[in-house]
Every structure is written in structure tokens, then in C-alpha cells.
Amino acid sequence: MPPPPRCAATTAHHSLLGSPTCLARPRRRCCPVRAAVAVQAEAQAKVSLIRIGTRGSLFEICKYDSPLALAQAHETRDKLKAAHSELAEEGAVEIVIIKTTGDMILDKPLADIGGKGLFTKEIDDALLQGRIDIAVHSMKDVPTYLPEGTILPCNLPREDVRDAFICLTASSLAELPAGSVVGSASLRRQSQILYKYPSLKVVNFRGNVQTRLRKLKEGDVHATLLALAGLKRLNMAETATSVLSVDEMLPAVAQGAIGIACRSSDDTMMNYLSSLNHEDTRLAVACEREFLSVLDGNCRTPIAAYASRDKDGNCSFRGLLASPDGSTVYETSRTGPYDFDIMVEMGKDAGHELKAKAGPGFFDSLQ
């Protein structure tokens, strides 16, 4: 390709000076373009102060999308910006979408594909590899152990722990006719439903909130239960037909709580997260997770627990262990000072009590 023609002014300048260095002048016309490209590249290469890792999809139409996980990441981002002025600048906090195995395999029960850790493993890997700085999780999805090299120093204020009943034909579980089908992927919900309403049928029902509501509308099931906390975070609380009390349906361990993890060696992130931590929630979650840990709970074990501060300022704890078909249910409760060490011991003691009541044969039958 022949070189571009020179402008008249450049040609004249070259003939006057007779210097080959003048040949560089035409190329200066491209300098503004190169400068613009450089600025753009610099902007793209700018490292965010905090990269938040979360489940989700870049496209709302994606069937694996997790709008709730994204809503929780946005809540975390907004709280960080409000608490730290340097994070309020444009681009200071970046949300990194990470697709997890649990999001992509929706046609099987969680227990059959490896359990709840499937919603966190890929995010934990990204954290340890330095691709993100903090990881935002629904605490009920977090295994009772954390990967070596990570720490979870922060829980945001807990949302409503109750479950929402959603149905187009009845206002409560008690009103459903015998043989009605309730959709739920949760063995905790299944066991408590069948314990109180053995005439109902519960089927595996996975997918994000929007997917499950669509399936309900299309008649795949007669009713479903969803965490009210998730509906509230998605501004969809109005879709609930009614709300079940914790006496009707004891919540999952850490239901309604958001946990934020970072690398245990990252003091900067730990300082950021400490400013967001809600101590009452952290203590309640620790109590419930200790209960779960003692029972060695997994996705094949229906377990429920709830710790909260009562009107006297003490910790009130309730725990439940059941068989998936609801034929056997063990329950316990505790009350004690709202103190971390005492509450952890309370959860541990309650777990040992139910483990002894159930006996080893109970857990062997769930394998």
C-alpha cells in the first residue's frame, strides 16, 4: 500500500529544512488518536480497589442467572461505598460474575451432584487465586468448613428468616387438598411439610426465584416455598401468598444472612469488611453453624436451626433434625446469654443432644 500523501505545509517544511527528521511530522497527526487509545487502555487496565466475586450471569435471559446473588453483591458494594469515601469513586468497586456448578445443573437434587459447596467452590477458588478480593455468599450455602487461606469475618444485618408460601389456589399449606404437589429442592422444607401434612406430595423444584415462580404459574406444582429474605432483596415480597411463622417452618441454618469472605492474609480487606459486620447476626450464625457442624449436616440431612435475641436480650435457640419423609423429627431448644463463646457452645450442645437421640442408625439410613 502506498504511503499516505503529505499535506502541503509538511512538504514545504521538508524542502526548506532538507532534513530527514521532518519525515516524522506527518505521523504526528496520529498522536491524538494514539493518546486516546492510551487513555482508554489505561482506564481498562485500572485496577479496582475491591473486586467482589458472586454467583450470577451477565445476561438476565440466561437460565442459569442468579439475580438474588447479584442483588446481594450490589448491597455489599453499596454498603462499602457508603462506609468508605475512597470506594465511592467510579470503578473503585467491581463486581465479578462467577458461574458455579450448582447454578448450571438444575435437573438433579443438590445431594446428587455434590451438595451445597457447589455454589461456593468456584468463587472460593477465584478468591484464593487472587482473581477477586472478597466473596459474597448466602450463608446457608456455605459449608461448615472454609477453604484453607480464607476467612469469613463479616455478616451483613440478617433479613427476615421466615419462609414464604406461594400458591394460586390456597392461602396456606393447611388449605391444600390431599394429593397437592408442593415444589421444593429443600429437604428441610420437605420433611417439615410431610411431618405436618402427610397427605401432600413434595417434588424436587430447582432454579432461580423467577424460574420457580414461572413453573408454578405454568402448573408444574400447586404451591412452593421460598425464603422471604430472597424475595425482599429482589423487591418481590408481594408475590408471597402468606408467610410461615418459625413455629410452622423452622428456617435453614443461617437463612437470611449474607456472609463476606476474604483471604486470611489480606488485612486491607479484613479492615474494610469489619466496618460492615453486624455482630448480632455473626453470633447467631455462628451458633446455628456449630449445631450444623456437630450433626455433620449435608444436603441429605434435613436440619433446621434458628438463634435470635429475645426480648430480655438473651439468645433463644431452636434446632431440628428430621428424616426426609417427615416420619421422624427431633427438636431441641436452649436459652442463654448473647455471647459468642456461650452461643457456640449452646449450638454444639444442642447438636450433640439430637445426634444422641437419633442414634447412628438414623444417619446411616440417609447415606
Side-chain angles (χ1 to χ4, degrees):
M1 180 179 294
R6 303 178 191 168
C7 67
T10 302
T11 305
H13 187 64
H14 176 56
S15 25
L16 283 172
L17 293 178
S19 168
T21 58
C22 295
L23 294 175
R25 291 184 63 83
R27 290 198 295 271
R28 289 181 184 173
R29 296 178 63 189
C30 300
C31 287
V33 177
R34 289 202 303 271
V37 171
V39 169
Q40 183 179 10
E42 182 182 353
Q44 291 174 342
K46 182 180 179 181
V47 178
S48 302
L49 295 178
I50 299 182
R51 294 163 298 169
I52 301 175
T54 183
R55 295 164 54 194
S57 167
L58 294 173
F59 304 102
E60 290 294 327
I61 60 173
C62 177
K63 68 177 180 178
Y64 308 127
D65 184 34
S66 183
L68 177 55
L70 288 172
Q72 293 176 167
H74 290 153
E75 180 180 345
T76 301
R77 178 198 61 190
D78 294 345
K79 287 181 180 294
L80 283 168
K81 287 186 171 186
H84 302 279
S85 58
E86 71 273 20
L87 299 180
E89 297 181 10
E90 188 68 29
V93 181
E94 175 188 1
I95 293 178
V96 180
I97 308 298
I98 299 171
K99 189 54 57 188
T100 68
T101 304
D103 288 309
M104 293 185 282
I105 304 177
L106 300 176
D107 58 347
K108 297 179 181 179
L110 288 172
D112 292 347
I113 57 174
K116 289 185 180 178
L118 290 175
F119 288 117
T120 58
K121 183 181 183 302
E122 287 84 355
I123 300 175
D124 290 333
D125 289 345
L127 182 61
L128 288 169
Q129 293 163 10
R131 292 187 282 121
I132 58 174
D133 302 303
I134 63 175
V136 177
H137 298 298
S138 289
M139 281 303 301
K140 65 183 181 63
D141 292 333
V142 179
T144 52
Y145 59 89
L146 295 176
E148 187 175 352
T150 69
I151 188 171
L152 208 157
C154 173
N155 288 121
L156 299 185
R158 197 173 197 175
E159 246 299 356
D160 199 316
V161 303
R162 295 175 296 171
D163 281 319
F165 173 77
I166 305 175
C167 181
L168 303 178
T169 59
S171 61
S172 67
L173 284 166
E175 289 186 11
L176 287 174
S180 294
V181 178
V182 180
S184 177
S186 164
L187 291 181
R188 170 190 65 86
R189 291 181 179 125
Q190 173 182 302
S191 63
Q192 292 185 77
I193 290 171
L194 295 178
Y195 176 65
K196 295 176 179 176
Y197 308 100
S199 66
L200 300 179
K201 180 181 179 181
V202 182
V203 298
N204 186 50
F205 199 59
R206 292 192 56 215
N208 64 35
V209 170
Q210 290 80 354
T211 298
R212 283 185 263 184
L213 291 177
R214 174 179 55 78
K215 288 180 178 180
L216 172 66
K217 188 175 181 180
E218 292 172 352
D220 289 12
V221 296
H222 297 107
T224 190
L225 299 183
L226 294 172
L228 183 58
L231 293 177
K232 286 188 173 184
R233 288 186 174 121
L234 290 170
N235 295 314
M236 296 175 62
E238 73 282 355
T239 61
T241 305
S242 60
V243 177
L244 281 63
S245 69
V246 294
D247 293 325
E248 293 177 274
M249 181 68 61
L250 199 62
V253 167
Q255 183 158 312
I258 295 174
I260 312 175
C262 66
R263 290 179 292 277
S264 52
S265 60
D266 195 335
D267 292 339
T268 300
M269 291 304 127
M270 280 195 277
N271 288 334
Y272 277 133
L273 296 182
S274 66
S275 67
L276 303 188
N277 181 57
H278 187 257
E279 193 65 0
D280 267 21
T281 297
R282 188 180 76 88
L283 269 57
V285 167
C287 177
E288 295 167 19
R289 282 169 60 81
E290 191 66 27
F291 173 76
L292 180 67
S293 178
V294 169
L295 293 173
D296 195 24
N298 56 43
C299 285
R300 296 186 186 277
T301 315
I303 295 173
Y306 180 43
S308 61
R309 190 186 287 273
D310 64 20
K311 59 182 176 59
D312 297 319
N314 292 317
C315 173
S316 174
F317 173 84
R318 289 180 57 196
L320 176 148
L321 171 67
S323 59
D325 63 3
S327 60
T328 305
V329 173
Y330 300 101
E331 296 183 77
T332 187
S333 61
R334 298 282 191 286
T335 301
Y338 211 95
D339 170 85
F340 180 84
D341 292 335
I342 294 175
M343 289 170 67
V344 166
E345 191 61 36
M346 191 185 302
K348 181 184 295 184
D349 184 64
H352 282 301
E353 179 194 335
L354 294 195
K355 193 171 187 176
K357 281 183 177 179
F362 175 84
F363 295 93
D364 291 342
S365 67
L366 300 178
Q367 301 304 314

